[in-house]
Amino acid sequence: MTGELGSVITGSPNLNLGNATFPAGHVINTWHFSHSVSSSADVSLTTSFDVIVIDNHTMQITGITATQGNLLWMSGYGGAIRHNNDATHNTSIGFKIDGSEFRILQVFDYTTYVSTSSQCGFIYTVPSGFTNKTIQFCGEEQVNSPDVLMQLAAINGPNYMYMIIQEIQQ
């Protein structure tokens, strides 16, 4: 039997890739979450590294199982981090894997106004027993302040928040 993945492959018995192996560097699983907003939505961050919820949508993916030794590429975007009239505090953005925290992006503000993207990503080596995990996109501010928030602005049309996780064969 010959053919390429993505083309029509026939045979008897039916093609089963359950035991197939792929060379290192191939993406073998992808999970994603996305939500669009048609009007701007703000999220007040807290002093706890908590999952970001925008427009009643929780930025998390559940049920992730991956193979030990492979890599997970995680990327997420929850809007802009905005500091307004707050020149003394920082904001952390990153991920939680079943409660374990991975702070990736730190925004330190020494001006009276800053707005920057929350888009960040990192590579994680899968440990043994990585079964049915929950991965969340999280944020935290140093102190409770109404002037520090995440903003998903829909100024010129819809804006999107997203997470994507890809398992990479090693």
Side-chain angles (χ1 to χ4, degrees), residues 47-49 92-95 101-106 120 140:
T47 56
S48 298
F49 193 64
S92 299
I93 300 296
F95 298 87
E101 299 176 358
F102 300 89
R103 286 172 172 79
I104 308 302
L105 176 66
Q106 298 278 325
C120 66
E140 171 187 53

Side-chain angles (χ1 to χ4, degrees), residues 2-57:
T2 61
E4 295 179 11
L5 292 177
S7 66
V8 177
I9 302 172
T10 60
S12 180
N14 292 336
L15 179 64
N16 179 354
L17 295 177
N19 294 321
T21 58
F22 297 92
H26 281 70
V27 173
I28 59 172
N29 278 314
T30 301
W31 301 267
H32 65 87
F33 163 86
S34 65
H35 174 67
S36 67
V37 296
S38 56
S39 60
S40 297
D42 293 343
V43 175
S44 295
L45 300 175
T46 69
T47 56
S48 298
F49 193 64
D50 290 327
V51 64
I52 294 169
V53 179
I54 297 177
D55 197 27
N56 294 316
H57 289 81

Side-chain angles (χ1 to χ4, degrees), residues 24-33 61-76 95 97 119-127 130 135 162-170:
H26 281 70
V27 173
I28 59 172
N29 278 314
T30 301
W31 301 267
H32 65 87
F33 163 86
I61 300 171
T62 59
I64 297 174
T65 297
T67 302
Q68 179 181 355
N70 283 348
L71 302 176
L72 292 181
W73 165 248
M74 300 179 210
S75 180
F95 298 87
I97 301 173
Q119 202 285 326
C120 66
F122 84 114
I123 294 175
Y124 175 80
T125 302
V126 178
F130 200 88
I135 299 178
Y162 70 86
M163 287 175 60
I164 187 166
I165 301 166
Q166 295 180 313
E167 182 180 3
I168 302 168
Q169 179 72 41
Q170 289 301 291

